[in-house]
Structures are given as C-alpha cells and as structure tokens.
Amino acid sequence: MTSQINPNNVDGTYPVAGQPNNTQGFRDNFTNIKTNFSYAETEITALQNNGIFKAALPGTTLDNNMADNLIYAVKLNDVSHTYVQNTASSGSITIDYSAAQYQYVSTTGSISLNFSNFPVSGSAGIVQIAINVTSTAHTLTLPAAVTLGTTGIQGYSAGVITFAATGTYQFAFSTSDGGTTITIYDLNRPLNYFTNEITSASSIKSTSPTGGIGYGTGAGGTVTQATNKSTGVTLNKVSGQITMNNASLAAAAEVSFTFTNSTIAATDVVVTAISSGATAGAYNTHVDAIAAGSCRISITNFSASPLAEAIVINFVVIKGVTA
C-alpha cells in the first residue's frame, strides 16, 4: 500500500521570523496538515483492521483471522498446530474442523463420527484424529460421506471399524468438496492388502504362526443355493461360503452349477473345498470351467448310496494374469 500522506505539501519555513507573513500561508499549512492527518487516520485504521501482528496493539485484542484469504510463496519453520481433546467419548461425536487440525477422542463406548466446518468446495482440508479405544467392544462408525480410502483398512466393514486390540489409533480425513466426499487414511496400521505392486521374483512369505496370508474381514460373503444342486448362485465376493441345496444326489453321481461372481476374471483361479454339512469322505468338489464373471463348480457323490445334504463349500478367488 502506498501512503497518501505528503509531507512535502507543508511549508516548514513558514512563517518567516522577523517579517510580516501572509495569513494565507498559515491557512495552507493547516489545511495540508489536516489532510495528512486524515490520510494517516485512514491508513492506520486499515492496518489495525487488516494487518497480522505478533501481539495485540494497545487497546485491542489480537485477532489474526485471515478469513480464508490467500497466503502464498511462504517459507515456514517450527510450525505447530492446535490440538483439541474432545470431551465426548461415546455415541455421536462431531469433529469441528475449524477447532483444530489435531483432535483426540477416548472411548467409553462405541462412537459415530460426524464432521462440521470443512473448507468450502474447491479448497482442500485434512484433519487428524487420535482415537483411544479402551475396549475391543467399542466400534467406530464413519459418516456415509467417507467413501474413499476404506479398502484394506483393518476391521472395516460397511462403514464400521472394529478393533482387535485396545490402544490409540490414528486416522486422517480429507476432503476437497466441502465434506461431500471424504477420504480416510489409517496412519499407524498397515492396510490388509498389498498397496504396491510386487515386481521382485522373490516369493511372499508369512512368518506369523497364526496370521497366514489371505483375505481380511469385509472381503467375504455367503450365499445359499435354491431349488436343487444344479441351481446357479450369485455372490460378488473374492472369498466366502456357498451352502448347497439339500436335494438328493445319487450314488456315484456328479452335479454342476454355475457360480456367477463379478470378481472372477478368465485368468483367475477359483479354489473350492468342502467345509461342513457333508458326510466325511463322501464328496469331492472342484472347479472345471472359468470365464469372466463366472465359473462352474462340480461336486461328486463317491458313496455307495444317495445323499441329501446341504453341503457348505468354501471358495477363494486367486487373481491371475497371462502376461
């Protein structure tokens, strides 16, 4: 801002000592001084209202609210963010974005998160939340707007996160459309799937005596066959169970049914195994045809007599490629 104050329009040599002086010179000086004071008042008031200060000016309260105005080409060092401990500990909890970029919740029961005061659409905002889960019975329900980043989060299913152990879990939530669409980030746990493509020829190994390698909660589902053992079933999951119809299957007979599943590609491998509901050693099951979106599952009765059982078949889809 260029100041309008003009010190050169005041004649500092007037009046001249020892001689008569025209009164018009006095009037001109007083008018110009008054005009400069008026400019000074306007400019000082503007600085008081619009400037950023390290401390409050005399007679004022410090308020460095930028009102969403742009600051750019900034080099920062030793920056801290406001931290707020939310007093609510169960039920519906609203995270006020404008209150702090780092917030903390300790649970006394299951909680449902809500958000308020995200930046307007077109501006990006992110808030981090530390949740101290004091009981594995406590769950975290996310708002319906959290639709991105949920894949692979441990314990996530249909908008609800369950926790296998007590402790403090760190999450971040971001949006660029005013909270209509929100992305979640799990900051202190690995996701339940390989987030990076593996290009090494080395094999993937699990050293855990109990963890193993496979799909996590949320990847599976169940379906029950209707009518008879040749009736097709549909389940669009990479893992799960098929409960077959309990219609009779003759001795030494084989029956097949179509399993429609949108997760299956023609290059995939579908593995099946009998889980329960069957006479021990009486059946064999296998997949003998795979296409995009479906496969054919066959089951054979090896026993010497007809069997009418609701066989439960486990299945997994292993993804494969030809190049």
Side-chain angles (χ1 to χ4, degrees):
M1 178 182 73
T2 301
S3 176
Q4 297 185 76
I5 298 172
N6 181 14
N8 297 318
N9 64 5
V10 178
D11 186 355
T13 64
Y14 189 86
V16 179
Q19 68 179 42
N21 290 272
N22 191 320
T23 59
Q24 184 62 44
F26 287 104
R27 287 191 292 272
D28 291 343
N29 268 355
F30 288 150
T31 297
N32 291 336
I33 290 171
K34 179 181 178 182
T35 298
N36 284 337
F37 272 132
S38 178
Y39 287 147
E41 178 190 26
T42 299
E43 293 171 8
I44 291 172
T45 299
L47 287 173
Q48 289 174 328
N49 292 337
N50 304 319
I52 300 175
F53 302 98
K54 294 193 296 182
L57 297 174
T60 67
T61 300
L62 184 65
D63 182 5
N64 285 329
N65 185 352
M66 291 301 299
D68 291 326
N69 288 301
L70 179 65
I71 298 178
Y72 61 96
V74 178
K75 186 175 183 179
L76 302 175
N77 183 46
D78 192 17
V79 177
S80 63
H81 294 270
T82 305
Y83 173 87
V84 166
Q85 183 165 334
N86 204 307
T87 56
S89 59
S90 65
S92 179
I93 297 178
T94 297
I95 301 299
D96 183 355
Y97 178 85
S98 65
Q101 281 5 92
Y102 292 84
Q103 302 196 29
Y104 175 87
V105 175
S106 184
T107 68
T108 58
S110 294
I111 62 175
S112 297
L113 285 186
N114 299 287
F115 294 96
S116 66
N117 295 318
F118 267 132
V120 296
S121 182
S123 296
I126 186 167
V127 59
Q128 292 190 25
I129 306 172
I131 302 176
N132 178 29
V133 178
T134 60
S135 169
T136 56
H138 299 166
T139 62
L140 168 63
T141 299
L142 303 176
V146 180
T147 56
L148 301 177
T150 58
T151 302
I153 288 183
Q154 295 184 40
Y156 175 86
S157 179
V160 178
I161 299 176
T162 57
F163 300 94
T166 59
T168 300
Y169 297 85
Q170 299 271 353
F171 297 97
F173 297 87
S174 70
T175 182
S176 60
D177 57 11
T180 300
T181 306
I182 301 174
T183 302
I184 183 174
Y185 309 88
D186 194 330
L187 300 180
N188 62 345
R189 297 185 300 171
L191 297 178
N192 266 337
Y193 67 100
F194 296 111
T195 56
N196 297 312
E197 185 175 334
I198 299 173
T199 57
S200 169
S202 301
S203 60
I204 302 170
K205 301 177 181 178
S206 171
T207 58
S208 169
T210 58
I213 297 174
Y215 296 111
T217 301
T222 62
V223 64
T224 299
Q225 186 181 46
T227 310
N228 55 56
K229 282 184 165 59
S230 62
T231 302
V233 299
T234 299
L235 178 64
N236 299 317
K237 295 284 188 176
V238 291
S239 177
Q241 288 186 328
I242 302 168
T243 300
M244 296 188 68
N245 186 271
N246 63 354
S248 180
L249 182 60
E254 181 178 271
V255 66
S256 300
F257 65 91
T258 298
F259 177 33
T260 301
N261 186 333
S262 62
T263 71
I264 298 174
T267 53
D268 292 347
V269 176
V270 181
V271 180
T272 60
I274 295 174
S275 171
S276 61
T279 299
Y283 299 96
N284 180 48
T285 180
H286 63 281
V287 174
D288 53 21
I290 296 177
S294 69
C295 69
R296 184 173 63 209
I297 299 176
S298 296
I299 189 160
T300 304
N301 176 6
F302 282 116
S303 73
S305 60
L307 295 173
E309 298 176 312
I311 307 164
V312 179
I313 298 175
N314 289 350
F315 76 88
V316 291
V317 179
I318 302 175
K319 307 306 290 181
V321 294
T322 58

